[in-house]
Amino acid sequence: MRTVHSIAELQQSLSSSSRVFVPTMGALHTGHAELMRVGKTIATDSGQLIVSIFVNPLQFGSTEDFSKYPRTGISDRDLAAGSGVDLMWLPSSDELLASDMLKLKSPEFGDSLEGVHRPGHFDGMLTAVNRLFEIVNPTHAIFGVKDLQQLILIREMALERFPDLEIIAVETVRDDFGLALSSRNKYLSASEIQIAAQINKALNVAALTADPAASFVTNLEKAGIEAGAIDYAEVISMPESCLDLGRQRLVVAVRIGLTRLLDNIALN
Ligand code: PAF
């Protein structure tokens, strides 16, 4: 695996055939390894699997955890190298977030759900992802379904701005108790991890009912998580670009202690 920092170095190392890209903020875990595994199956023959690690300040609000966000450089490198990554890109903020870069504004959907609790988050996320795409010019880019709203917004943005780019969705990876893997799980104590595992259980029960959102709230309450800790539980209809993930999904955000956890499930 080759590690590069500057845009010039990156672009010199890019191959001309398929470039399969996994943008991340580091603190890599088994969920990221799954994105890389899927990426590797696409980047066959002369294709390249490229991973970027950049903790994007534009997508953190002023009260959020940017400076505290886990940074685990050496183990990130080991995980990427062990996953068959060809090129790891560690951009600098100064170079990536150039003052003259295009700043994107998320469509209205980005103001709902996460957007209510993290105003401006998706503008910052889309601005950085657009910039990463412009520089890497990937043929494929891979994102997890756990961050469903992010995935939908990126697919919609790519349709408009990078019509030849295929955005591949990879199902959520869970721990043995069903908790969706996330870099933010590092903030949870052992007892909070047990409580957080109730989220997936409640999603699975809710998905079988006529009113999944209400059922999810009731089931979490039964498991000892009060309704006030649920930032949202909503059924959303998937846009045409995401029908491979089902017609409707229940999306939720739950606060366990100081940590916000996201999850979602397909509804039949
Ligand atoms: O999901 C993430 O890790 C980030 O939001 C992303 C897509 C790398 C953009 O900074």
Side-chain angles (χ1 to χ4, degrees), residues 23-25 54 56 59 125 128-129 143 147 150 154:
T24 79
M25 299 209 300
F54 180 67
N56 170 28
Q59 68 188 74
M125 182 280 292
V129 171
F143 295 88
D147 295 313
Q150 165 172 285
I154 291 173

Side-chain angles (χ1 to χ4, degrees), residues 21-26 28 32 35 52-57 59-60 69 96 118 121-122 124-126 128-130 132-133 142-144 146-147 150-151 154 183-184:
F21 184 34
V22 181
T24 79
M25 299 209 300
L28 302 182
H32 294 109
L35 304 184
S52 64
I53 296 187
F54 180 67
V55 186
N56 170 28
Q59 68 188 74
F60 289 80
Y69 193 82
L96 189 72
R118 307 184 69 190
H121 166 70
F122 288 123
M125 182 280 292
L126 286 173
V129 171
N130 174 66
L132 292 165
F133 284 175
I142 308 191
F143 295 88
K146 184 190 70 78
D147 295 313
Q150 165 172 285
L151 172 66
I154 291 173
S183 303
R184 289 191 168 88

Side-chain angles (χ1 to χ4, degrees), residues 104-142:
L104 292 193
K105 170 95 194 76
S106 141
E108 227 171 83
F109 175 58
D111 297 329
S112 66
L113 305 167
E114 280 301 284
V116 172
H117 300 272
R118 307 184 69 190
H121 166 70
F122 288 123
D123 298 345
M125 182 280 292
L126 286 173
T127 296
V129 171
N130 174 66
R131 178 91 174 119
L132 292 165
F133 284 175
E134 280 177 351
I135 296 167
V136 174
N137 189 20
T139 53
H140 303 79
I142 308 191

Side-chain angles (χ1 to χ4, degrees), residues 190-205:
S191 59
E192 285 175 338
I193 289 178
Q194 304 283 317
I195 301 169
Q198 300 300 325
I199 298 171
N200 181 242
K201 291 205 180 93
L203 278 176
N204 278 289
V205 174

Side-chain angles (χ1 to χ4, degrees), residues 47-69:
Q48 256 181 336
L49 178 59
I50 306 141
V51 168
S52 64
I53 296 187
F54 180 67
V55 186
N56 170 28
L58 302 181
Q59 68 188 74
F60 289 80
S62 54
T63 58
E64 293 183 24
D65 56 348
F66 174 67
S67 57
K68 250 184 20 157
Y69 193 82

